């Protein structure tokens, strides 16, 4: 609510860095291949990978045939940011008092994006809010109050949901295939076709969610203290409207198995 007096203008802005609460750590390609050999040895079988091949996993000299992909590092940022901004103005006189607030909030997501895309695949939320409260003294004992508010929130997300992306990170080993083949196509194999985590995150399109809420209320307050101390009559009309729009722009991506 506004208060009688000169206009009071307040602007507040804050920015912060956001960090994931927990990031699972995964072994690299060399460790994974070495454990495969160890498991085969326990089963009485010969090694799957020779010393030269293990060295290639270790030094990254042949990243397409002997990849060592840290899918968590490729998909998930360590840090992101958000900003919250609000501007408010209040004041008034003996007849009218007012309060106005406008705000903007941006919260960016943790997903890495492909610069070659013409669309955004990172998760992000843009929120715009508005509030205006006005009190007008129509007569000595009659006051009208008008309140208007709006919140508009636009959300952007990858084509696949976060549960599917983390599932792919957990499932695909670091040596299964390279993130991207020499020709730019997504790495892949017969098992778990379409599970390339980078492909799911950046090459599967995007989704948007738009939420809008409008609020309005109008009230009249008639002070009847001249009839009976503390007596008043108040009438109010309120109108709220909420709408949600989902937009999915999903596509498939091609994978190839690189054989050299």
């Amino acid at each position: 609510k506004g208060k009688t007096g000169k206009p009071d203008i307040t602007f507040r802005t804050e920015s912060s860095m956001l960090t994931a609460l927990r990031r699972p750590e995964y072994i690299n390609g060399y460790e994974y291949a070495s454990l495969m050999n160890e498991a085969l040895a326990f089963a009485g079988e010969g090694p799957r990978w020779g010393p030269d091949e293990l060295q290639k996993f270790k030094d990254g000299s042949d990243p397409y045939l002997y990849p060592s992909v840290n899918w968590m590092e490729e998909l998930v940022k360590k840090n992101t940011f958000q900003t919250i901004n609000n501007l408010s103005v209040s004041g008034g006189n003996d007849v009218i008092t007012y309060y106005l607030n406008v705000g903007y909030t941006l919260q960016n997501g943790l997903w890495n994006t492909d610069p070659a895309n013409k669309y955004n695949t990172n998760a992000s939320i843009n929120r715009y809010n508005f509030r205006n409260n006005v009190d007008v003294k129509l007569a000595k004992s009659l006051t009208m109050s008008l309140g208007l508010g709006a919140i508009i929130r636009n959300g952007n997300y990858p084509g696949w949901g976060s549960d599917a992306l983390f599932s792919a990170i957990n499932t695909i080993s670091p040596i299964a295939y390279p993130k991207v083949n020499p020709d730019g196509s997504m790495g892949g194999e017969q098992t778990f076709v379409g599970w390339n985590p980078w492909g799911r995150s950046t090459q599967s399109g995007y989704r948007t969610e738009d939420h809008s809420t409008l609020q309005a209320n109008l009230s009249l307050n008639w002070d009847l203290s001249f009839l009976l101390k503390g007596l008043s009559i108040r009438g109010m009309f309120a109108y709220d409207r909420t709408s949600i729009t989902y937009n999915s722009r999903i596509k498939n991506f091609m994978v190839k198995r690189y054989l050299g």
Side-chain angles (χ1 to χ4, degrees):
K1 292 288 187 176
K3 295 181 179 180
T4 302
K6 294 181 179 181
D8 182 12
I9 301 174
T10 303
F11 176 69
R12 176 185 174 92
T13 180
E14 61 181 77
S15 298
S16 56
M17 182 177 69
L18 307 179
T19 303
L21 290 176
R22 184 172 64 88
R23 284 168 52 94
E25 296 183 5
Y26 295 87
I27 60 177
N28 59 38
Y30 170 76
E31 294 168 323
Y32 191 92
S34 299
L35 288 173
M36 288 181 66
N37 283 350
E38 185 178 329
L40 291 170
F42 276 116
E45 301 180 21
R48 169 66 178 84
W49 308 102
D52 292 342
E53 294 175 307
L54 289 175
Q55 183 60 32
K56 291 179 180 179
F57 283 124
K58 190 173 185 178
D59 59 26
S61 58
D62 192 351
Y64 294 111
L65 286 178
Y66 299 91
S68 178
V69 184
N70 187 327
W71 295 110
M72 179 64 69
E73 293 292 332
E74 295 292 344
L75 268 67
V76 183
K77 301 177 183 178
K78 291 184 178 179
N79 302 298
T80 186
F81 68 93
Q82 76 173 11
T83 178
I84 303 174
N85 307 273
N86 277 285
L87 172 66
S88 63
V89 181
S90 65
N93 51 40
D94 294 336
V95 177
I96 182 172
T97 58
Y98 58 88
Y99 171 83
L100 171 67
N101 176 268
V102 291
Y104 169 68
T105 299
L106 166 63
Q107 186 176 77
N108 213 29
L110 286 168
W111 300 113
N112 285 317
T113 58
D114 184 353
N117 283 344
K118 296 182 179 180
Y119 51 88
N120 180 25
T121 58
N122 191 12
S124 62
I125 292 178
N126 288 274
R127 188 182 69 188
Y128 310 87
N129 56 277
F130 167 81
R131 167 62 60 185
N132 185 27
N133 294 325
V134 179
D135 296 303
V136 181
K137 206 161 190 179
L138 301 178
K140 184 177 180 180
S141 58
L142 184 62
T143 303
M144 179 187 74
S145 298
L146 174 64
L148 300 173
I151 300 175
I152 300 174
R153 190 182 74 188
N154 307 123
N156 192 88
Y157 309 94
W160 286 86
S162 59
D163 54 343
L165 297 182
F166 280 113
S167 178
I169 292 174
N170 292 334
T171 302
I172 304 304
S173 79
I175 67 173
Y177 40 73
K179 180 179 77 172
V180 178
N181 293 317
D183 66 351
S185 63
M186 300 295 104
E189 59 182 356
Q190 292 89 343
T191 307
F192 297 109
V193 174
W195 276 65
N196 183 309
W198 180 250
R200 282 192 166 195
S201 177
T202 65
Q203 310 301 314
S204 298
Y206 65 96
R207 296 177 294 111
T208 61
E209 295 180 10
D210 298 320
H211 298 243
S212 64
T213 300
L214 302 177
Q215 300 171 326
N217 59 76
L218 175 67
S219 67
L220 290 173
N221 191 79
W222 187 14
D223 185 3
L224 300 176
S225 296
F226 61 90
L227 294 179
L228 181 63
K229 185 178 180 180
L231 179 64
S232 65
I233 297 177
R234 186 182 186 212
M236 173 181 281
F237 170 79
Y239 173 77
D240 291 0
R241 182 181 186 274
T242 299
S243 65
I244 304 176
T245 302
Y246 298 95
N247 182 22
S248 295
R249 293 287 184 262
I250 309 300
K251 67 174 187 175
N252 294 319
F253 59 91
M254 179 175 65
V255 298
K256 292 181 181 180
R257 178 67 172 173
Y258 182 70
L259 301 177

